[in-house]
Amino acid sequence: MKTVYFNAVCPFEIGDYIRDMGGRIHKITDIAYVHRVRTGKVEFRFELDNSGRLIMLEPSTGSKTR
């Protein structure tokens, strides 16, 4: 087994509200990450509105609101 370390900063926090492309507002209720050992790439996945589904968001696809 290989031990790896990584440092990543998520552009959102749990409890943030985002506006989707359709103008609807959603609350981020959970955040997960996927770390790819071979490439070193880290991807964040977000649960919105306690839906149970994880989706990918980019800072440009959803605008952060308060």
Side-chain angles (χ1 to χ4, degrees), residues 1-15:
M1 182 175 285
K2 189 176 196 178
T3 301
V4 294
Y5 299 93
F6 66 94
N7 184 15
V9 177
C10 182
F12 301 104
E13 296 178 9
I14 292 175

Side-chain angles (χ1 to χ4, degrees), residues 6 32-37 40-45 54:
F6 66 94
Y33 68 89
V34 175
H35 177 228
R36 298 179 186 268
V37 175
K41 184 177 180 181
V42 176
E43 298 173 344
F44 292 97
R45 308 285 167 94
L54 294 173

Side-chain angles (χ1 to χ4, degrees), residues 3-54:
T3 301
V4 294
Y5 299 93
F6 66 94
N7 184 15
V9 177
C10 182
F12 301 104
E13 296 178 9
I14 292 175
D16 282 352
Y17 290 90
I18 57 118
R19 185 182 316 272
D20 67 13
M21 298 302 249
R24 296 177 302 260
I25 296 178
H26 302 279
K27 183 177 182 178
I28 296 176
T29 51
D30 199 6
I31 301 172
Y33 68 89
V34 175
H35 177 228
R36 298 179 186 268
V37 175
R38 186 178 44 165
T39 63
K41 184 177 180 181
V42 176
E43 298 173 344
F44 292 97
R45 308 285 167 94
F46 302 91
E47 176 189 54
L48 302 179
D49 304 323
N50 288 315
S51 67
R53 296 181 317 177
L54 294 173

